[in-house]
Amino acid sequence: MSQLGRILEKIVAHFKPRQLRPAKMKDTFNVLTATASDLQKKLTAGDISSVQIVQQYLAQIEKHNDYLRAVLELSPHAQDMALELDRERTAGKVRGPLHGIPVLLKDNIAVSSDFGLKTTSGSFALIESIPKGNATVVDQLLKAGMIILGKANLSEFANFKGSDIQPGWSPRGGQTQSAYVRGGLVPDGTILGHSSPGGSSTGCAVGLSAGFAPLALGTETDGSLITPANRAALYAMRPTQGLIPQGGVIPITNILDTVGPMSKSVEDLANLMTVIVDPSHPNVPKSGYAGALTKTWDGIRVGFLDPGTFFFAPDIIKPNQNATTQMETEIRAAYQKIKTHLPQAQENVSYVTLDDLEYKGKDILSTLMMNDFKNDIENYLGGLATSKVKTLEDIIQFNEDHKDKELPPAYPNQDALESALSTANQLSLSEREESIRWMRQAGGPNGIDKYLKQYGVDVIIGPADCECTEPPAAAGYPVATMPLSTLDLNGRPFGVSAVVSAHQEELLIKVMSAWEATFPPRSVPPMLRSAATSAI
């Protein structure tokens, strides 16, 4: 057991749940709008305790999760941890700006059994698996004094199970619903219709927007952070590949997967980034990312993608002319507003296309995912303390043996898993190395970097409802999303994405900070607003 595990064991042994009585609130807060920074100010002033913060989020989850299905399970020890962190604060020990703040974890990020939580990627095949310890990022969260509130629902196996499965559905959690969309998910024959919450980090995004927690950690292979965060009016970032430790994360392919933060404010995102990055990485700022919160466009060279050109294909999102017109109009207006601060901003810049990422006639990301998944998932399974499934074949067979749960009538296929089995290791080691090298070059120096240089810009901003996440995934470069508005059609949020070169997270946070200072506050779900407390 790790040192942190032993500490938690002592806490749990000393503070039994029955000893925690609901405390009378000194103060309350609006769970829909409160940021971690807001809560930290109240904690510092003694207006509220971490136990009370946890209790208020638990009450919100109890009230709305039956419909939203954003949270898979809650840690039975969250209040114990909060109590111990409150005791530390009283004794004068505050570990940092996220001390005593709760966080949700996507259910493909491993936690020790000490927390009373499972790590399953939404699959019953892993329901009895037990990790040997926490994912590296979880230990970093604990060291910073954060409280693991629970596990968030997700697209099963991070959307790598089968085709035509709606984002945010897992056998364990059911279908996650948007907290904003009137009428809920309405299947329309496409995978990202306007009522979809997006995925695969769906529960993290919906949970934050619904006031279940102030912060969340998700993962992204291609779009799995950016898309659901965009559809929940949040800030999120896919960092440079390798900047965040990936140990203990259920993989698709380790060359594309990365953990990333979601938040309601850029300050919170910067503070969470500071906690989760590999501190030994040479590109991590020694003083953290908060220094990038400049709230100004000064010194940033910006290029804009044409919102009339860059959007999801009709087989991804069924076109709706009113929605398309609104998004295009409001994004263009946002560009013009930025140009009042940056008259030299470049419009209609070019960008990497999906055709640019085809290698030998095939999408390079899909090729490598299919080639790598079997090895990477089996390496993860082999590192567990306990698991009934040991191989990809075991997972596929489990699903066949438990069709009632894993292959229900609405989603009866697992063709992604089956294809990954049949195509595993089709590339020789030299072919794989060459494919990775080509992919990084096509997405980066010959792609994103080429256009940044061509237009003399530092960042490219475009609609978030487009395939703009695939080039950064190929390159291993950072990409972020920022909220803008909601659709008149059904209330679904939409925003923009921002792409920079490798290891430019500080610049990206500067861009996000300037955006936040330029535009109105992010919207909250109207359906939940009346039920939230009005403080903060």
Side-chain angles (χ1 to χ4, degrees):
M1 183 185 294
S2 68
Q3 182 180 1
L4 286 164
R6 289 192 293 271
I7 292 171
L8 181 61
E9 188 177 63
K10 291 178 182 178
I11 294 170
V12 172
H14 187 68
F15 298 109
K16 299 295 184 184
R18 64 178 180 271
Q19 293 176 285
L20 288 167
R21 300 183 181 90
K24 182 179 179 181
M25 290 283 185
K26 297 180 184 177
D27 199 358
T28 55
F29 59 94
N30 186 328
V31 291
L32 298 179
T33 59
T35 66
S37 300
D38 292 330
L39 296 175
Q40 195 62 242
K41 290 173 185 175
K42 283 184 169 288
L43 287 166
T44 300
D47 294 332
I48 201 167
S49 68
S50 290
V51 168
Q52 292 166 333
I53 289 172
V54 167
Q55 288 173 343
Q56 194 161 337
Y57 283 122
L58 293 178
Q60 181 75 349
I61 293 168
E62 183 177 5
K63 188 181 297 182
H64 296 292
N65 195 55
D66 282 351
Y67 168 68
L68 295 176
R69 295 187 175 274
V71 175
L72 278 177
E73 58 181 334
L74 295 165
S75 171
H77 306 311
Q79 293 188 72
D80 302 306
M81 294 181 68
L83 181 59
E84 178 62 17
L85 290 163
D86 282 336
R87 289 175 178 266
E88 284 189 12
R89 186 182 298 274
T90 300
K93 179 182 178 180
V94 177
R95 305 186 192 191
L98 297 180
H99 181 110
I101 300 297
V103 61
L104 283 173
L105 302 178
K106 188 175 179 180
D107 187 42
N108 61 350
I109 301 174
V111 294
S112 164
S113 58
D114 295 333
F115 288 95
L117 295 169
K118 299 182 183 302
T119 302
T120 69
S121 207
S123 172
F124 283 108
L126 297 181
I127 197 72
E128 295 183 31
S129 69
I130 300 175
K132 290 181 179 178
N134 297 319
T136 306
V137 288
V138 174
D139 281 338
Q140 292 173 212
L141 297 175
L142 296 173
K143 185 178 179 180
M146 299 193 72
I147 300 162
I148 309 303
L149 190 61
K151 286 298 196 75
N153 200 6
L154 72 167
S155 308
E156 187 182 11
F157 285 113
N159 202 30
F160 200 77
K161 181 185 183 180
S163 56
D164 301 322
I165 299 175
Q166 285 293 326
W169 180 84
S170 74
R172 281 196 66 205
Q175 179 62 57
T176 306
Q177 296 281 354
S178 168
Y180 294 82
V181 172
R182 298 183 294 273
L185 176 64
V186 180
D188 62 3
T190 63
I191 206 68
L192 279 176
H194 285 299
S195 64
S196 169
S200 64
S201 301
T202 320
C204 292
V206 171
L208 258 62
S209 68
F212 291 178
L215 290 167
L217 276 191
T219 66
E220 175 153 326
T221 306
D222 174 18
S224 291
L225 284 159
I226 300 304
T227 302
N230 170 55
R231 294 181 173 218
L234 298 172
Y235 295 92
M237 182 190 294
R238 173 208 172 92
T240 301
Q241 197 73 29
L243 189 66
I244 312 296
Q246 285 298 115
V249 178
I250 299 176
I252 293 178
T253 170
N254 293 324
I255 61 169
L256 296 173
D257 301 337
T258 181
V259 172
M262 286 187 188
S263 68
K264 298 174 187 175
S265 76
V266 184
E267 181 180 2
D268 285 1
L269 185 139
N271 287 333
L272 187 52
M273 274 289 292
T274 299
V275 168
I276 64 175
V277 294
D278 178 353
S280 67
H281 199 287
N283 294 102
V284 171
K286 291 183 179 180
S287 58
Y289 291 96
L293 300 169
T294 55
K295 300 182 180 181
T296 177
W297 295 100
D298 290 351
I300 303 174
R301 301 176 301 167
V302 177
F304 298 125
L305 297 179
D306 179 8
T309 303
F310 290 88
F311 45 79
F312 282 123
D315 62 330
I316 301 295
I317 181 169
K318 185 177 181 180
N320 177 286
Q321 190 56 54
N322 290 337
T324 300
T325 299
Q326 182 188 355
M327 288 192 288
E328 183 176 340
T329 300
E330 294 195 31
I331 290 172
R332 289 191 191 281
Y335 290 172
Q336 294 309 309
K337 189 168 186 178
I338 293 172
K339 289 192 75 170
T340 64
H341 301 273
L342 291 175
Q344 71 277 24
Q346 300 287 312
E347 294 194 64
N348 300 325
V349 303
S350 299
Y351 192 61
V352 191
T353 68
L354 298 186
D355 288 345
D356 294 332
L357 298 177
E358 284 198 1
Y359 182 62
K360 297 183 179 180
K362 296 181 180 179
D363 175 69
I364 187 61
L365 275 73
S366 297
T367 296
L368 287 166
M369 283 187 254
M370 288 295 174
N371 185 81
D372 288 5
F373 180 73
K374 177 176 167 62
N375 282 350
D376 287 352
I377 191 68
E378 291 179 1
N379 285 338
Y380 171 82
L381 295 172
L384 296 173
T386 302
S387 180
K388 286 193 172 181
V389 293
K390 306 289 187 181
T391 66
L392 177 53
E393 291 92 335
D394 289 346
I395 294 171
I396 292 171
Q397 189 60 51
F398 179 94
N399 294 342
E400 289 291 340
D401 294 341
H402 301 84
K403 287 185 176 181
D404 56 328
K405 293 180 178 180
E406 283 290 336
L407 300 172
Y411 303 126
N413 76 83
Q414 51 179 333
D415 52 358
L417 296 180
E418 291 166 344
S419 294
L421 179 60
S422 65
T423 60
N425 302 312
Q426 282 197 345
L427 300 175
S428 68
L429 289 177
S430 61
E431 288 172 334
R432 181 176 179 273
E433 289 175 3
E434 173 58 22
S435 296
I436 295 170
R437 187 206 64 77
W438 184 91
M439 178 183 69
R440 297 298 192 215
Q441 193 75 13
N446 294 341
I448 293 169
D449 291 332
K450 181 181 77 172
Y451 293 116
L452 291 173
K453 184 177 180 180
Q454 177 179 329
Y455 292 95
V457 297
D458 304 310
V459 58
I460 295 174
I461 294 176
D465 276 279
C466 78
E467 304 277 8
C468 297
T469 59
E470 189 157 336
Y477 285 9
V479 58
T481 189
M482 303 170 286
L484 178 59
S485 186
T486 57
L487 292 177
D488 296 336
L489 173 70
N490 61 4
R492 194 263 288 179
F494 65 92
V496 299
S497 60
V499 178
V500 294
S501 192
H503 301 297
Q504 294 297 308
E505 281 77 14
E506 283 186 281
L507 171 61
L508 201 47
I509 289 171
K510 285 182 181 180
V511 171
M512 299 170 82
S513 176
W515 178 276
E516 186 179 38
T518 302
F519 295 97
R522 56 175 294 275
S523 63
V524 299
M527 295 179 287
L528 305 185
R529 186 187 296 138
S530 61
T533 306
S534 59
I536 296 189

